[in-house]
Amino acid sequence: NAGVTQTPKFRVLKTGQSMTLLCAQDMNHEYMYWYRQDPGMGLRLIHYSVGEGTTAKGEVPDGYNVSRLKKQNFLLGLESAAPSQTSVYFCASTGEITEAFFGQGTRLTVV
Amino acid sequence: GEDVEQSLFLSVREGDSSVINCTYTDSSSTYLYWYKQEPGAGLQLLTYIFSNMDMKQDQRLTVLLNKKDKHLSLRIADTQTGDSAIYFCAELNDYKLSFGAGTTVTVRA
């Protein structure tokens, strides 16, 4: 039972490059979330999804896009990476609302 | 997150009680949560409370909710070295799950 899996775990990008982070969950959860974690700022919500084919903006959506084409996957895209997007990214999913399950995080560095 | 506020640091002696406080702004939040993050790991749920409850106890953990003041607290009894971690308060409103900045708890011998 894998739970929530994020790929990749680490990545270094050059400014202006693009990349996609993948979040996959095998719990048939409806709700999925992408956060970034920065020192002293906690987890800030980037985008979230309440079901297949739907997405919504969180607190800090600028510079990111998302897609939820399949219920089990939630993709986070950076079209043109900037140093300000250096962060640890976490994906989470929940079905019952009483508990969200988190992936292990993706450490992204933009140079 | 901007809607949930916590103090950033707490130092406590082993065996004492820890109290971590949180304030939130959205009175329509349905659930409030406490999550724990250990170094290099994702977050794990510690406990949650429904918005129509005042208190919830689960072994060493006690959650108090003051809905009028929009104040949530987590008390850890008999704090142990394994309790050293970052603790996040979170609120759920209309399926949007928002977190505070996290309180780093350091347990000293």
Side-chain angles (χ1 to χ4, degrees):
Chain A
N1 184 1
V4 178
T5 304
Q6 291 182 232
T7 51
K9 291 186 171 46
F10 302 93
R11 185 73 186 268
V12 179
L13 282 181
K14 292 183 179 178
T15 298
Q17 284 186 317
S18 63
M19 78 163 292
T20 301
L21 282 69
L22 170 64
C23 177
Q25 51 95 2
D26 61 2
M27 297 171 282
N28 201 34
H29 284 168
E30 287 293 336
Y31 314 108
M32 297 186 75
Y33 306 85
W34 274 109
Y35 297 90
R36 58 178 289 172
Q37 184 176 22
D38 303 291
M41 303 189 79
L43 269 73
R44 290 183 291 169
L45 182 63
I46 304 171
H47 286 280
Y48 63 106
S49 168
V50 301
E52 183 179 314
T54 71
T55 63
K57 293 181 181 180
E59 277 181 80
V60 289
D62 294 341
Y64 305 95
N65 56 73
V66 287
S67 64
R68 185 101 181 266
L69 297 179
K70 293 183 179 180
K71 187 177 184 179
Q72 63 267 36
N73 295 336
F74 194 28
L75 279 63
L76 177 71
L78 285 73
E79 289 184 349
S80 179
S84 61
Q85 294 177 305
T86 293
S87 188
V88 181
Y89 291 85
F90 285 99
C91 174
S93 73
T94 182
E96 298 297 324
I97 299 297
T98 52
E99 180 170 4
F101 293 85
F102 281 79
Q104 289 301 299
T106 297
R107 188 173 293 274
L108 176 66
T109 303
V110 183
V111 298
Chain B
E2 57 193 20
D3 298 326
V4 182
E5 292 189 358
Q6 304 176 237
S7 54
L8 292 182
F9 302 100
L10 176 68
S11 177
V12 62
R13 195 160 45 191
E14 190 175 9
D16 287 351
S17 292
S18 309
V19 179
I20 309 167
N21 294 301
C22 168
T23 56
Y24 60 99
T25 55
D26 199 329
S27 58
S28 59
S29 294
T30 51
Y31 284 94
L32 295 133
Y33 309 83
W34 285 103
Y35 280 80
K36 178 182 181 182
Q37 185 184 34
E38 297 185 353
L43 278 68
Q44 287 191 308
L45 180 71
L46 279 178
T47 187
Y48 67 91
I49 188 167
F50 191 50
S51 58
N52 68 353
M53 296 169 66
D54 298 325
M55 186 182 90
K56 182 177 181 181
Q57 188 149 5
D58 184 2
Q59 299 182 336
R60 291 191 297 125
L61 305 178
T62 304
V63 178
L64 295 177
L65 175 60
N66 181 331
K67 202 170 177 185
K68 175 175 167 289
D69 295 338
K70 300 190 188 71
H71 183 264
L72 183 74
S73 68
L74 174 69
R75 178 177 179 269
I76 306 173
D78 188 24
T79 310
Q80 302 299 306
T81 53
D83 295 324
S84 292
I86 305 176
Y87 291 80
F88 290 92
C89 169
E91 64 173 348
L92 181 74
N93 181 25
D94 198 20
Y95 305 113
K96 184 178 162 187
L97 184 59
S98 300
F99 287 80
T103 300
T104 299
V105 174
T106 303
V107 182
R108 59 188 193 278

